[in-house]
Amino acid sequence: MLYHQLTYIAAALLISGILLLTVDTKIYAVSAMPREKKIAHRLGWVQIILFLLVVLVQLIFL
């Protein structure tokens, strides 16, 4: 049960992180919103790192 929940969390983190890095940063760049672009960029990388941590936890402990 926990394995499946972590799998869904990992997938959600990966998809949302990629979308933040690709789509949202370009939208904010075109809209001349540098602060929001920087925040979206950082949050995208945070979500990718959290994805990697969740995958490592799954591989090590489950």
Side-chain angles (χ1 to χ4, degrees):
M1 182 75 175
L2 181 65
Y3 181 78
H4 295 295
Q5 291 174 346
L6 286 178
T7 303
Y8 289 125
I9 291 170
L13 285 170
L14 179 64
I15 292 169
S16 62
I18 289 172
L19 286 175
L20 274 170
L21 288 173
T22 56
V23 177
D24 286 350
T25 53
K26 289 182 183 176
I27 289 172
Y28 292 136
V30 170
S31 299
M33 301 171 87
R35 186 178 62 195
E36 286 82 0
K37 178 186 173 200
K38 183 170 41 170
I39 291 170
H41 189 19
R42 288 182 181 174
L43 285 176
W45 280 112
V46 166
Q47 288 183 353
I48 298 293
I49 291 168
L50 287 174
F51 160 75
L52 293 173
L53 288 174
V54 169
V55 170
L56 284 174
V57 165
Q58 280 184 319
L59 291 174
I60 293 172
F61 295 112
L62 299 177

